[in-house]
Amino acid sequence: MEQSAVIKSKVDISRNLNGYSFPHKLSSQEAEIIIQKVKNVFSDSKYDFTLHKINELSQSELDLLEERELMDDEFLINANGALLFNSDKTICILINGLDHIKIQVIGYNDIKGLYKIANEIDDTLESHLEYAFDKDLGYLTTCPINVGTGLKVTNTVHIPSIEKLKQVDDYYKIAHKIGVNFKGVYGKTKSILGSLYKISNTIMIGRSEENIIQSVESISNDLSKREYESREILKNVHKIDLEDEIFRSLAILSSARVITNSELMKCLSNVKLGIEMGYIDDVNLEKVINFMTGKQPYLKIISAYDEEDKIERASYIRREFSLANRNNK
């Protein structure tokens, strides 16, 4: 299997309906009409979607959706917002957010596969609804940067070795040249979380879907290759310091009484690196990845400010990384 630094992939398709104002100008009655129109498209389909108004979701459901970056603070305060999502929340359709419709599909290192799912959902919607479309510009969206294909693809990469060798800046320049956005994952903290960086397309107009996907995959593949080469350099040149940092991080996860989200992500990053480099053999890698990608909303890594929930977070993590539990998913 090819080595990859990609820890998470996401495909978004934004659409608006012809004949209606953009969401920020909709009346409550118009917003409800759009919700029902979208819901009815899937009333007799293969998709196991359930509809939820934003004010009907529990706090734990809101936390999960925000941790997985399927919605943001702006959508949380939108009284006219609604969501359709499947049982495992890998597919989520925002209704009346920034645009009338935002199709979101998340997975792991498979942009083409995720796009195929999103595109099929988009085709299903378009066969029943009339989209706002201009023959010269393409699909019309609230934000001008999304006009055209309305497609945004994002890979989140874990590149601790590139970061430790201080080579990250090289990729800001490369990304800019090929029309790709490259930035650290911050959540609500002031520091990059867990050596995670996002790669996404910046321009949608005048570009085909295939070109957009290829540009993000290209730099993702290059970063993956560089990351694994950098690991060998660290192993050869900074072996003891690297091992010390990895095992100190594991000790913190299993013992800390207080931990901020930024410290937690740094330790998870080092432990993931330690597992993949063969230093740690008694911790489940999938468990670590699930924590880092928001599948444990209780931790509030993305949605909380750095000093929030740090005692409860430490207690949960300490239990999960105890000798009895650390190798369980």
Side-chain angles (χ1 to χ4, degrees), residues 35-181:
I35 290 170
Q36 294 306 316
K37 279 179 177 286
V38 176
K39 176 190 174 185
N40 291 340
V41 169
F42 299 103
S43 60
D44 187 25
S45 74
K46 68 177 184 179
Y47 299 102
D48 182 27
F49 290 146
T50 54
L51 177 73
H52 298 269
K53 303 286 183 65
I54 188 68
N55 54 11
E56 295 172 351
L57 290 169
S58 68
Q59 188 58 51
S60 63
E61 288 174 314
L62 292 172
D63 288 343
L64 187 149
L65 292 165
E66 193 170 5
E67 284 297 306
R68 292 197 184 184
E69 299 176 289
L70 291 169
M71 65 179 188
D72 55 22
D73 287 344
E74 189 173 331
F75 189 79
L76 276 171
I77 60 173
N78 182 357
N80 295 324
L83 309 94
L84 283 169
F85 49 75
N86 61 350
S87 56
D88 64 1
K89 297 180 180 63
T90 55
I91 303 174
C92 177
I93 302 174
L94 294 189
I95 309 172
N96 298 327
L98 182 62
D99 294 292
H100 295 147
I101 297 167
K102 184 179 182 181
I103 303 162
Q104 305 174 101
V105 186
I106 58 174
Y108 167 71
N109 196 25
D110 183 23
I111 288 180
K112 288 188 177 76
L114 300 181
Y115 172 69
K116 184 177 179 181
I117 296 169
N119 189 50
E120 186 179 77
I121 294 169
D122 183 40
D123 288 344
T124 301
L125 284 163
E126 194 165 19
S127 68
H128 292 80
L129 305 173
E130 184 182 354
Y131 283 158
F133 183 83
D134 181 271
K135 63 182 180 65
D136 296 318
L137 297 175
Y139 293 100
L140 303 180
T141 56
T142 304
C143 182
I145 198 171
N146 295 332
V147 170
T149 61
L151 172 68
K152 182 177 181 180
V153 297
T154 305
N155 270 341
T156 302
V157 293
H158 178 232
I159 50 172
S161 300
I162 293 175
E163 194 175 70
K164 291 177 193 299
L165 293 175
K166 304 188 186 306
Q167 297 173 342
V168 173
D169 287 351
D170 296 348
Y171 284 90
Y172 288 106
K173 300 169 188 174
I174 295 169
H176 180 73
K177 286 181 181 178
I178 63 172
V180 170
N181 190 29

Side-chain angles (χ1 to χ4, degrees), residues 160-276:
S161 300
I162 293 175
E163 194 175 70
K164 291 177 193 299
L165 293 175
K166 304 188 186 306
Q167 297 173 342
V168 173
D169 287 351
D170 296 348
Y171 284 90
Y172 288 106
K173 300 169 188 174
I174 295 169
H176 180 73
K177 286 181 181 178
I178 63 172
V180 170
N181 190 29
F182 177 68
K183 64 179 182 179
V185 174
Y186 288 89
K188 293 182 179 178
T189 69
K190 295 179 180 178
S191 58
I192 293 172
L193 293 169
S195 302
L196 296 181
Y197 292 79
K198 287 184 181 180
I199 305 162
S200 60
N201 55 301
T202 55
I203 301 170
M204 303 182 194
I205 194 168
R207 299 182 69 184
S208 68
E209 289 85 353
E210 292 77 11
N211 178 261
I212 288 170
I213 291 169
Q214 191 277 330
S215 64
V216 172
E217 284 190 327
S218 175
I219 193 168
S220 299
N221 292 338
D222 190 57
L223 270 162
S224 294
K225 184 173 182 289
R226 181 82 165 267
E227 169 62 23
Y228 280 87
E229 289 172 349
S230 298
R231 292 181 183 188
E232 289 304 309
I233 295 172
L234 284 176
K235 194 171 185 177
N236 293 328
V237 181
H238 304 288
K239 186 175 187 296
I240 295 301
D241 290 339
L242 177 64
E243 288 185 30
D244 183 66
E245 190 171 7
I246 288 169
F247 285 103
R248 279 178 185 270
S249 294
L250 181 57
I252 289 170
L253 293 178
S254 61
S255 305
R257 266 50 183 175
V258 173
I259 194 165
T260 63
N261 45 6
S262 57
E263 184 182 16
L264 170 58
M265 283 293 275
K266 180 180 179 181
C267 291
L268 288 170
S269 171
N270 285 329
V271 168
K272 179 177 179 290
L273 179 63
I275 297 169
E276 291 173 340

